[in-house]
């Protein structure tokens, strides 16, 4: 996994609430067995002109982009930080949703209100893929979203080491503190493989298994 | 300090805990073809094995065609199913494949085979894993990286422990009402993000009165309110289900006695232990119908399509987008909305009781000419049971299609799909845009309400139909 230390990039604002993972990537694209190639499939049914969604077996084959979709605005082109509303990523557990966001070039997603910004499974999947899910207080979120909606757009710098976010917009710079759980921060900063880390605790896992009641293991049938 | 059922199950699975993260042991890992291929690839790349093949069970469900399970024509679907077969062989895992007698939707076969047990932790790369909570198991959906992590370590890291959310359902469901109406009424009341960060426990007389099938329907849709998991405390109904059914994987004899003694201790000590608590009166619930594009956008069948500025939990813009997608005009009575397709099945409502209820409505009646009705058993076992009871004949005589088991029209990954602008009455769990096929319009209802809509050709209150009989 690519480490995440500091990142500066343009923001794209999607002003919809309760964006579910079927919207982020429709189920027909989940038939792929690969782990890459999901970038063009992000918001496949919204991002292209009607009838222009990518082919399931060839994601790079798709119609022109729909000009009115918020991520296609000129100011959002090349954005690497996605600004969304509450309960982003609700619905299905598909990690393909995170793969699509990350492989479309995003490194972070910013949502309003601590504990309400992201659906639980999406949030966990995001960390697992080096995509930073940030929840900010409503006012700070609004400042970033408002700057991002402007004609010239905005950029942010996320400094995971110093735990701060700086908004760069036409009206100057503002810096906010950010919160990231320490274990996740450690993994992101170092780009660690979670499995290798867990296997350091193998003795504790074996000890737990040794005291499990016999009825817990499925009977051979 | 009184503890909740959730805390008790959580605590007994803690392998290691730090200030902000907990390593939880996983007792059962269910796998299907959609969310596992990249996890197995990861294992191969790192030269890792599956730690506990005996706690890992696979089936195929999402891509399986329900007209003929053996005939997967779509090359990508076929490749995904074959990839799972190859992976199970390579890593030595049990796979319940089609026509083997035990295949079915992963959340239907777990309980019916006796794999789902109280007090255990269960995960699957599928958000509807919450279903298994009906047995008092802590069961939740995970992403593919986590699938790989569980395969390799049989554990899972969890961040801050979710809070406990008690949902008490008092009173008694009226005739014609179903568990589906309870859970839709709950989501309508608390919103699609209303339980985010929590584990819900459902309790109260209306829950205790439910069969295991009904409880599974309730817990299944916990995720639609954002809950990490949904739980119901095990009781006599639970123990009866495990001990007396044909549950080949469940403990037997002395092991079962030991297990039962343990399961009896699995309950919330006192409702004051919940971090949050809401109450619903079952007697006041009417048959529920969703009108919009998330499961909180729900009204009574006797109600009307709402004005966009009167939709709870949605901005008027979001509501207008939903109305537009659904092709509905505010003020339209729900019973005047015609349906093109009726789908009875899924991990929400594809169990034997659901089919019995649908048969009760369809017996001696006919599916309207304008309607295509699909009835899809949740598993091969459910199909065989339904056929033994003659339900398939009832469905066929009514003019409905009786299919083979799979996820079917719940999510448009197999040939069962809506075409653009087609409108369905569906017993599944998600009415998201495009969920049943691009442009398709989904209304979620109970099996009885779906069957009634099939007969009438539009939504209709099933209560008088059930009262008058046939």
């Amino acid at each position: 996994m690519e480490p995440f230390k500091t990142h500066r990039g343009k923001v794209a604002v999607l002003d919809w609430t309760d964006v579910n993972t079927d919207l982020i990537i429709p189920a027909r694209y989940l038939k792929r067995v690969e782990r890459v190639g999901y970038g063009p499939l992000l918001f496949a049914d919204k991002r292209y002109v009607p009838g222009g969604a990518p082919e399931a077996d060839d994601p790079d084959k798709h119609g022109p982009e729909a000009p009115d979709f918020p991520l296609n605005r000129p100011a959002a082109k090349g954005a690497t930080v996605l600004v969304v509303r509450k309960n982003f990523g609700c619905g299905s557990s598909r990690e393909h949703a995170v793969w699509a966001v990350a492989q479309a070039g995003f490194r972070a997603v910013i949502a309003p209100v601590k504990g309400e910004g992201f659906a639980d499974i999406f949030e966990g999947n995001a960390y697992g893929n080096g995509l930073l899910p940030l929840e900010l207080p409503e006012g700070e979120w609004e400042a970033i979203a408002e700057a991002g909606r402007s004609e010239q757009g905005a950029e942010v710098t996320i400094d995971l080491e110093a735990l701060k976010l700086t908004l760069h917009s036409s009206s100057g710079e503002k810096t906010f503190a950010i919160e990231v759980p320490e274990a996740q921060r450690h993994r992101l900063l170092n780009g660690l493989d979670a499995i290798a880390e867990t296997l350091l605790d193998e003795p504790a896992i074996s000890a737990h298994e040794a005291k499990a009641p016999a009825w817990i293991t499925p009977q051979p049938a | 300090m009184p503890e909740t059922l959730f805390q008790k199950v959580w605590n007994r699975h803690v392998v290691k805990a730090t200030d902000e993260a907990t390593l939880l042991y996983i007792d059962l890992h269910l796998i299907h073809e959609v969310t596992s291929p990249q996890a197995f690839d990861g294992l191969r790349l790192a030269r890792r094995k599956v730690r506990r093949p005996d706690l890992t069970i696979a089936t195929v469900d999402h891509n399986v065609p329900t007209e003929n399970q053996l005939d997967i024509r779509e090359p990508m679907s076929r490749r995904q199913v074959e990839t799972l077969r190859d992976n199970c062989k390579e890593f030595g895992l049990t796979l319940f494949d089609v026509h083997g007698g035990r295949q079915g939707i992963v959340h239907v076969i777990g309980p019916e085979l006796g794999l789902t047990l109280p007090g255990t932790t269960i995960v699957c790369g599928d958000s509807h894993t919450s279903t298994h909570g009906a047995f008092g198991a802590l069961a939740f959906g995970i992403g593919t990286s986590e699938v790989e992590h569980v395969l390799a370590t049989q554990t899972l890291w969890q961040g801050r422990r979710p809070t406990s959310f008690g949902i008490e359902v008092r009173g008694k469901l009226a005739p014609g009402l179903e568990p589906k109406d309870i859970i839709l009424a709950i989501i309508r009341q608390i919103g699609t993000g209303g339980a985010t960060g929590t584990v819900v426990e459902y309790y109260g007389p209306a829950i205790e009165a439910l069969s295991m099938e009904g409880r599974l329907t309730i817990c299944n849709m916990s995720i639609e309110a954002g809950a990490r998991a949904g739980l119901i405390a095990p009781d006599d109904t639970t123990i009866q289900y495990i001990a007396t059914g044909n549950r080949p994987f469940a403990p037997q004899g002395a092991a079962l006695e030991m297990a039962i003694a343990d399961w009896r201790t699995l309950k919330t000590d006192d409702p004051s232990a919940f971090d949050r608590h809401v109450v619903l009166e079952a007697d006041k619930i009417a048959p529920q119908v969703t009108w919009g594009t998330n499961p909180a956008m729900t009204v009574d069948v006797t109600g009307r399509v709402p004005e966009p500025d009167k939709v709870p939990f949605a901005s008027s813009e979001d509501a207008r987008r939903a109305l537009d997608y659904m092709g509905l005009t505010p003020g339209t009575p729900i019973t005047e909305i015609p349906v093109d397709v009726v789908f009875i099945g899924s991990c929400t409502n594809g169990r034997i009781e659901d089919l019995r209820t649908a048969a009760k409505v369809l017996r001696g009646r006919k599916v309207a000419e304008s309607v295509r009705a699909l009835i899809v058993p949740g598993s091969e076992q459910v199909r065989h049971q339904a056929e033994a009871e003659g339900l398939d004949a009832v469905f066929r005589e009514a003019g409905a299609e009786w299919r083979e088991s799979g996820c079917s029209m719940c999510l448009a990954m197999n040939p069962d799909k809506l075409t653009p602008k087609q409108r369905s009455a569906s017993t599944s769990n998600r009415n998201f845009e495009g969920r049943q096929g691009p442009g398709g319009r989904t209304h979620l209802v109970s099996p009885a309400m779906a069957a009634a809509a099939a007969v009438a050709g539009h939504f209709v209150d099933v209560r008088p139909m059930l009262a008058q009989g046939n």
Side-chain angles (χ1 to χ4, degrees):
Chain A
M1 203 166 78
E2 191 189 341
F4 188 122
K5 291 188 164 68
T6 61
H7 174 76
R8 177 168 177 157
K10 243 195 222 185
V11 303
V13 186
L14 183 64
D15 262 320
W16 302 348
T17 45
D18 294 321
V19 170
N20 62 66
T21 52
D22 276 83
L23 207 57
I24 298 173
I25 181 167
R28 63 183 185 279
Y29 297 118
L30 310 191
K31 295 182 184 182
R32 309 181 70 247
V33 296
E34 297 83 3
R35 198 161 186 151
V36 293
Y38 292 90
L41 303 176
L42 176 67
F43 298 115
D45 284 339
K46 296 284 173 189
R47 174 175 165 188
Y48 305 99
V49 297
E55 316 240 326
D57 54 0
D58 189 359
D60 290 322
K61 219 164 131 195
H62 53 73
E65 290 186 333
D68 55 344
F69 183 62
L71 268 53
N72 294 337
R73 295 176 55 230
K77 275 280 154 231
T80 55
V81 176
L82 183 59
V83 177
V84 300
R85 284 186 177 270
K86 276 187 196 175
N87 201 22
F88 187 79
C90 62
S92 150
S93 61
R94 61 190 69 165
E95 191 160 328
H96 311 66
V98 166
W99 297 337
V101 174
Q103 291 169 23
F106 293 100
R107 299 291 325 266
V109 189
I110 303 178
V113 187
K114 195 165 163 51
E116 296 178 37
F118 300 100
D120 294 339
I121 304 177
F122 181 90
E123 190 174 27
N125 287 340
Y127 281 122
N129 284 275
L131 176 72
L132 177 64
L134 279 181
E135 290 172 335
L136 292 180
E138 194 102 46
E140 297 177 4
W141 179 88
E142 186 53 47
I144 297 168
E146 198 188 335
R149 286 182 207 115
S150 69
E151 205 179 317
Q152 60 275 49
E155 289 192 7
V156 294
T157 300
I158 299 165
D159 184 341
L160 195 57
E161 280 172 310
L163 284 173
K164 57 182 194 186
L165 179 150
T166 305
L167 168 66
H168 315 275
S169 69
S170 54
S171 55
E173 289 195 349
K174 276 183 207 153
T175 297
F176 311 118
I178 55 173
E179 282 179 48
V180 178
E182 191 45 40
Q184 300 291 9
R185 179 168 164 262
H186 177 73
R187 276 188 199 141
L188 284 169
L189 285 172
N190 297 290
L192 287 181
D193 168 353
I195 294 176
E197 222 186 341
T198 301
L199 288 173
L200 298 175
D201 289 316
E202 206 283 330
I205 299 172
S206 291
H208 182 92
E209 286 174 334
K211 65 178 174 43
W215 58 262
I216 263 185
T217 308
Q219 302 305 299
Chain B
M1 271 271 282
E3 277 188 316
T4 62
L5 167 60
F6 160 57
Q7 288 162 346
K8 291 180 186 180
V9 180
W10 174 281
N11 289 343
R12 47 163 87 174
H13 290 88
V14 174
V15 172
K16 182 188 174 177
T18 67
D19 284 349
E20 56 179 21
T22 301
L23 187 64
L24 275 192
Y25 196 80
I26 302 303
D27 296 321
L28 179 66
H29 187 189
L30 300 168
I31 287 190
H32 62 75
E33 77 276 15
V34 181
T35 53
S36 64
Q38 297 87 357
F40 285 110
D41 261 355
L43 290 186
R44 266 188 291 270
L45 276 171
R47 300 209 179 117
R48 287 176 175 136
K49 288 190 162 72
V50 175
R51 181 180 175 89
R52 292 294 301 269
D54 55 336
L55 305 182
T56 311
I57 301 278
T59 192
V60 285
D61 51 10
H62 288 61
N63 283 277
V64 171
T66 65
E67 192 167 14
N68 177 0
Q69 292 182 321
L70 296 174
D71 185 19
I72 309 186
R73 293 190 193 167
E74 220 271 311
M76 290 185 79
S77 286
R78 197 166 56 231
R79 181 158 160 245
Q80 201 162 53
V81 167
E82 282 168 1
T83 300
L84 182 66
R85 287 177 184 145
D86 292 345
N87 283 328
C88 286
K89 201 178 281 178
E90 181 182 338
F91 288 91
L93 307 181
T94 303
L95 168 67
F96 296 130
D97 209 340
V98 292
H99 286 217
R102 286 174 174 170
Q103 177 272 346
I105 305 174
V106 64
H107 310 308
V108 175
I109 67 169
E112 76 184 5
L113 293 173
L115 289 161
T116 303
L117 298 176
T120 58
T121 45
I122 302 176
V123 297
C124 175
D126 193 293
S127 60
H128 291 111
T129 309
S130 60
T131 310
H132 307 264
F135 285 72
L138 178 60
F140 51 91
I142 57 177
T144 299
S145 300
E146 291 174 312
V147 170
E148 184 182 337
H149 192 279
V150 177
L151 288 171
T153 70
Q154 205 57 36
T155 63
L156 200 55
W157 282 102
Q158 295 287 287
R160 46 185 182 242
R161 185 174 79 186
T163 53
S164 299
F165 183 2
I167 298 185
E168 182 180 358
V169 189
R170 292 185 185 148
K172 195 172 160 234
L173 269 187
L177 275 288
E178 293 190 62
K180 184 67 162 284
D181 298 305
I182 297 183
I183 189 63
L184 283 172
I186 289 171
I187 299 165
R188 174 183 175 181
Q189 182 172 327
I190 67 174
T192 55
T196 303
T198 76
V199 167
V200 170
E201 182 181 338
Y202 306 94
Y203 70 104
I207 301 294
E208 285 159 27
L210 297 176
S211 67
M212 288 319 293
E213 283 84 352
R215 296 177 189 189
L216 288 159
T217 300
I218 303 251
C219 288
N220 172 272
M221 288 189 72
S222 303
I223 183 70
E224 310 314 332
R228 193 81 180 101
L231 287 171
I232 294 173
D235 60 7
D236 288 340
T237 304
T238 320
I239 290 165
Q240 173 96 357
Y241 180 97
I242 296 168
T244 62
N246 172 26
R247 317 279 167 226
F249 290 89
Q252 319 281 338
L256 179 63
E257 291 310 314
M258 257 179 64
I260 290 173
D262 177 62
W263 298 341
R264 297 265 182 217
T265 68
L266 291 172
K267 50 181 165 230
T268 292
D269 298 325
D270 187 279
S272 68
F274 292 121
D275 299 296
R276 198 176 142 207
H277 180 229
V278 300
V279 178
L280 254 84
E281 301 290 343
D283 305 75
K284 292 188 183 145
I285 299 174
Q288 303 288 293
V289 182
T290 69
W291 62 266
T293 53
N294 74 48
M297 293 174 164
T298 298
V299 290
D300 294 350
V301 65
T302 51
R304 290 167 186 268
V305 176
E307 298 291 334
D309 57 349
K310 296 208 171 60
V311 177
F313 311 110
S315 68
S316 49
E317 268 167 70
D318 286 334
R320 227 171 262 127
R321 218 174 34 243
L323 285 167
D324 185 45
Y325 180 84
M326 294 298 290
L328 292 173
T329 311
T332 308
I334 294 298
T335 50
E336 285 179 16
I337 302 173
V339 302
D340 306 307
V341 175
V342 167
F343 168 54
I344 298 176
S346 83
C347 59
T348 312
N349 282 125
R351 283 170 283 269
I352 188 68
E353 278 197 1
D354 301 313
L355 301 185
R356 286 179 189 142
T357 305
K360 213 192 266 175
V361 176
L362 290 174
R363 195 180 297 275
R365 294 190 171 106
K366 290 278 178 209
V367 172
E369 294 243 333
S370 56
V371 172
R372 177 187 179 205
L374 286 89
I375 301 181
V376 187
S379 70
E380 293 185 359
Q381 288 206 28
V382 170
R383 180 160 64 91
H384 295 146
Q385 176 70 28
E387 288 173 358
E389 295 178 20
L391 305 184
D392 58 322
V394 175
F395 299 140
R396 287 204 183 95
E397 276 160 30
E401 299 172 33
W402 174 241
R403 316 275 292 194
E404 297 189 329
S405 52
C407 295
S408 186
M409 204 183 266
C410 178
L411 88 169
M413 282 194 74
N414 55 69
D416 303 340
K417 284 178 216 176
L418 294 180
T419 56
K421 299 197 174 169
Q422 248 185 353
R423 190 180 293 285
S424 76
S426 176
T427 67
S428 54
N429 40 56
R430 291 194 172 129
N431 51 348
F432 297 157
E433 289 186 29
R435 173 79 180 180
Q436 294 189 294
R441 294 162 169 169
T442 304
H443 297 265
L444 303 176
V445 288
S446 72
M449 284 289 290
V455 172
H458 53 83
F459 290 103
V460 63
D461 192 336
V462 71
R463 287 173 293 187
M465 286 173 81
L466 281 169
Q468 94 190 41
N470 306 294

